[in-house]
Amino acid sequence: MTDTTLQLDEPIGDCEAVEDTAWTAATWLAVLSMAATSFALVSAEFLPAGLLTPMARDLGISEGTAGQVVTATASVGAVTALFSNVLIGKINRKTVLVALTALAVGSNILAATAGEFWLLLVGRAGLGIALSGFWALSVAVVARLVGANATGRGMAIVTLGVSLATIAAPSMGALISDWLGWRTAMAMTAGLAVIAMLMQAVSLPTLPASTSNSLADVFKLTRRRGIQLGMLAILLLMTGHFAGSIYVRPFLEQVTLLDTQSIALALLGFGIASVLGNVAGGKMADASVRMALTVTAALMAFAALILVIGGAYAAIAFTLVALWGFAFGMAPVVLPTNLSRSAPDALEATGSLMVVSFQVAISIGAVVGGYVVDNYGAAGPLTLTAILAASTVALALLQPRN
């Protein structure tokens, strides 16, 4: 493990270089605590995809309105991503991480027990703060835990929690909500966060920070054309994805006429395919990020469009939901890579813009998707997904070859 007095706020490339040796047990535990946190937080983030219908029924609201729990998480998260490093100042980063996870515990409990929709929104907003704060610090913390030469390996383990959550949360949420109710499913994510928080408290070393961060460099990056195009690609593709994916369950219920168990199986296929897409996206981005972005957007556009046309047939629906999951798995690798290639000299600041872009896209997608599903039916949001993903294909083709 690297010296814990190393400045956390320095760029990763400035971290203390260490030999690529076997990690100690303490290092493994610390990195696994970060992976457990990513699993707990992302599980809570994706859970509404499997709970939307019973949640809306219980609270006496439309499915479009219920989908705004995603908006609350993402919109607050967007602001947090931009200002988190400024707001935490010189507070020990271990303290910050434990506090953020504790906030996730409280937020999930509030969401699970909320008798009114506005209380549910407050709980989801707290989760948004925890999510964005965690991801804003994750790379720098992992770099300190394992050293600069092993940062990629460390982050691969941390993001494994994301992949597992993508598989488990929507499908298990749908099953648990059917058996025990959506509130029980929501409460279980609070339990996951408690486990992650305890692991952090026990295994993370002290991580002092001696300097604060400024927004000036982040805002300067937005003047670069490559950054503008990269952010626009995130906004288009992720707005399209979340406009449609949040309302996949209503589509499968109303159009494909699947029961709860079948929907859970379809969502499980989505999650498994997203893991495969993550691997494929990394390999493709190394070869040509322009081509990788084109393929990612094209697959999502195709899956959403054909799902609208032929989604009444169960076999077609299962196949295209999985294809959509594959494209979504590629996106978290391809989109950040596409953005960061325009600012290799400021990767941390670029990371902040990336998180903000994702969260804004999630917010817009949930709001617009909710309006469309309430006014045009279950197929409307998926049509919007196809249009925005196709627009991303056009944008990718306009970018310079690399």
Side-chain angles (χ1 to χ4, degrees):
M1 185 179 300
T2 56
D3 181 6
T4 57
T5 62
L6 184 65
Q7 300 305 317
L8 183 60
D9 301 308
E10 294 175 356
I12 295 176
D14 293 336
C15 291
E16 179 182 357
V18 294
E19 295 181 2
D20 187 13
T21 57
W23 295 355
T24 65
T27 302
W28 272 107
L29 288 174
V31 173
L32 288 175
S33 76
M34 296 288 287
T37 304
S38 73
F39 176 76
L41 296 180
V42 176
S43 291
E45 181 181 23
F46 283 122
L47 197 64
L51 306 181
L52 209 58
T53 300
M55 185 188 300
R57 186 185 306 118
D58 185 37
L59 295 174
I61 56 179
S62 71
E63 291 171 341
T65 300
Q68 302 319 305
V69 299
V70 178
T71 307
T73 306
S75 58
V76 174
V79 177
T80 302
L82 192 58
F83 293 99
S84 59
N85 287 335
V86 177
L87 295 176
I88 62 177
K90 298 181 180 180
I91 301 175
N92 190 291
R93 272 33 178 179
K94 176 180 179 178
T95 302
V96 173
L97 288 171
V98 172
L100 287 171
T101 311
L103 174 61
V105 174
S107 298
N108 289 331
I109 291 174
L110 177 59
T113 58
E116 300 289 340
F117 182 58
W118 71 269
L119 284 174
L120 178 61
L121 290 180
V122 171
R124 297 294 295 184
L127 177 64
I129 294 173
L131 271 163
S132 290
F134 171 79
W135 288 118
L137 290 175
S138 60
V139 175
V141 168
V142 169
R144 289 189 64 178
L145 293 175
V146 303
N149 292 341
T151 300
R153 178 186 176 194
M155 283 305 298
I157 295 173
V158 173
T159 55
L160 178 61
V162 177
S163 298
L164 294 175
T166 302
I167 295 174
S171 56
M172 292 303 297
L175 289 175
I176 293 172
S177 68
D178 189 49
W179 297 335
L180 303 173
W182 70 269
R183 295 182 185 276
T184 300
M186 193 77 73
M188 291 182 68
T189 61
L192 292 175
V194 168
I195 294 173
M197 181 179 65
L198 293 176
M199 290 179 65
Q200 288 177 340
V202 171
S203 63
L204 285 178
T206 181
L207 298 166
S210 62
T211 60
S212 299
N213 296 294
S214 169
L215 292 177
D217 291 338
V218 176
F219 288 127
K220 287 179 182 177
L221 285 178
T222 60
R223 301 174 185 173
R224 302 186 187 184
R225 180 169 177 78
I227 292 294
Q228 294 169 358
L229 291 175
M231 292 178 68
L232 181 57
I234 294 174
L235 290 172
L236 285 174
L237 191 61
M238 289 296 96
T239 296
H241 168 73
F242 285 101
S245 65
I246 295 172
Y247 305 101
V248 162
R249 175 168 179 165
F251 180 89
L252 294 176
E253 286 181 331
Q254 299 170 23
V255 178
T256 317
L257 303 178
L258 298 181
D259 57 22
T260 301
Q261 288 75 20
S262 297
I263 291 173
L265 184 60
L267 294 177
L268 178 62
F270 179 99
I272 294 174
S274 72
V275 175
L276 299 176
N278 187 271
V279 175
K283 293 182 178 180
M284 192 174 294
D286 286 340
S288 170
V289 71
R290 178 177 180 269
M291 179 57 66
L293 179 59
T294 302
V295 171
T296 301
L299 288 177
M300 189 177 295
F302 176 82
L305 178 61
I306 304 304
L307 193 57
V308 170
I309 296 173
Y313 299 95
I316 293 177
F318 271 84
T319 301
L320 292 171
V321 166
L323 182 61
W324 190 337
F326 186 86
F328 176 65
M330 294 180 68
V333 179
V334 174
L335 290 171
T337 302
N338 181 62
L339 181 66
S340 64
R341 69 174 183 174
S342 299
D345 56 321
L347 293 180
E348 289 189 350
T350 301
S352 295
L353 293 176
M354 181 269 295
V355 174
V356 171
S357 298
F358 266 95
Q359 298 291 12
V360 169
I362 294 171
S363 298
I364 296 174
V367 170
V368 176
Y371 172 81
V372 172
V373 75
D374 284 345
N375 289 275
Y376 300 98
L382 278 64
T383 303
L384 181 60
T385 299
I387 293 172
L388 292 178
S391 299
T392 309
V393 173
L395 179 67
L397 294 175
L398 289 175
Q399 294 188 161
R401 297 181 182 274
N402 60 308

